[in-house]
Amino acid sequence: MRYIAIFLLLANMGYFGWNHYRPQSMVLPVSAESRPLLNNGLILISEYQQGSGAEADSICYRVGNFTTVDEANGFIALAESKSLSARLSLSGEPLSAQYRVYLPPVSSRVIATMTLDALSERIAEAGLAIESYLITRGLLENGIALGVFADLAGATEVQNQLSEFGYGTEIDEIPRSSGDIRVELTAVSGSVDQTENVKWLELATARPYLTLVENLCETIAQGSQFP
């Protein structure tokens, strides 16, 4: 009986020692596959979800020193013709808009001048106080300006007066602010290369006073991309 007790005691001690000192198998933590930031910066959520196929090499700029909204709009039209994305941006506090009345552009300067002469005659005969002149540049080149008004009511009154003469005028709203007139310019996805420098030179040829500053593109960050 004594030998059985000693045997059981030695067996228990051996089992305890084997469990205590045997090498333990290590289980490495499994981490979710990390997805790197696309384009090394902030990206749109939709682009991130689509993976590397949605990488967008867009570069954004802010163009400044425009003297009028018309000039900025002309620049925007030219930029879009060169596969660039552009939009008007006014800094400072917003001010009340103004309203411009005009006759739309015609096909040539000669026709525009003849239209202006005939219209000026009708205005003088009717005794109306309407200033009119030929627009010689910009998006409305070869159109006829018929005044800028502080409110829509004044512009509509002139429009109604000229409609009695058979002229179809249009009214444009001109946004204003207390700050600078700028254009936010973006190179369209996939087109950012050395040709962008050429495009900028073409845009700025007749406007050497413009300034170009690289700007952060407006994007949406996804929280899971950051530690």
Side-chain angles (χ1 to χ4, degrees):
M1 186 70 179
R2 184 177 62 179
Y3 293 109
I4 294 175
I6 293 173
F7 174 79
L8 292 175
L9 177 62
L10 292 174
N12 284 330
M13 290 177 64
Y15 181 76
F16 175 81
W18 179 77
N19 273 298
H20 185 72
Y21 293 105
R22 72 185 178 94
Q24 301 291 323
S25 59
M26 298 183 65
V27 179
L28 296 176
V30 178
S31 59
E33 181 183 356
S34 61
R35 297 175 65 178
L37 287 173
L38 301 181
N39 200 28
N40 296 322
L42 302 182
I43 62 169
L44 293 174
I45 291 177
S46 59
E47 293 174 354
Y48 182 81
Q49 291 172 341
Q50 291 172 10
S52 61
E55 280 193 61
D57 295 325
S58 295
I59 298 180
C60 300
Y61 301 97
R62 175 174 293 149
V63 186
N65 287 354
F66 292 98
T67 55
T68 65
V69 170
D70 277 351
E71 183 190 12
N73 285 332
F75 182 90
I76 290 172
L78 182 59
E80 290 176 344
S81 73
K82 299 182 181 300
S83 301
L84 300 173
S85 175
R87 65 181 179 86
L88 182 67
S89 173
L90 303 180
S91 65
E93 295 296 322
L95 301 176
S96 56
Q98 292 181 330
Y99 299 88
R100 171 176 53 198
V101 184
Y102 65 95
L103 283 176
V106 292
S107 57
S108 72
R109 180 66 55 86
V110 173
I111 296 175
T113 302
M114 292 173 61
T115 303
L116 176 60
D117 291 341
L119 177 60
S120 299
E121 265 187 45
R122 298 296 301 272
I123 290 174
E125 289 172 359
L128 299 176
I130 299 176
E131 179 185 5
S132 59
Y133 59 89
L134 188 65
I135 302 173
T136 59
R137 58 183 298 179
L139 293 177
L140 297 179
E141 183 178 352
N142 292 335
I144 297 173
L146 297 163
V148 176
F149 302 86
D151 54 59
L152 183 58
T156 303
E157 181 181 357
V158 169
Q159 185 179 53
N160 292 337
Q161 290 172 339
L162 295 179
S163 66
E164 296 179 2
F165 300 156
Y167 292 97
T169 60
E170 295 186 13
I171 297 177
D172 261 357
E173 181 178 346
I174 304 173
R176 298 192 306 147
S177 75
S178 62
D180 298 327
I181 302 171
R182 307 178 302 197
V183 169
E184 304 294 336
L185 189 67
T186 305
V188 176
S189 175
S191 68
V192 180
D193 52 33
Q194 292 182 353
T195 61
E196 298 310 315
N197 294 329
V198 177
K199 290 179 180 179
W200 166 247
L201 290 175
E202 292 174 352
L203 290 171
T205 296
R207 305 172 179 87
Y209 50 86
L210 293 183
T211 59
L212 178 72
V213 178
E214 188 167 351
N215 191 32
L216 291 177
C217 297
E218 293 182 2
T219 55
I220 303 174
Q222 186 175 15
S224 60
Q225 291 179 294
F226 302 94

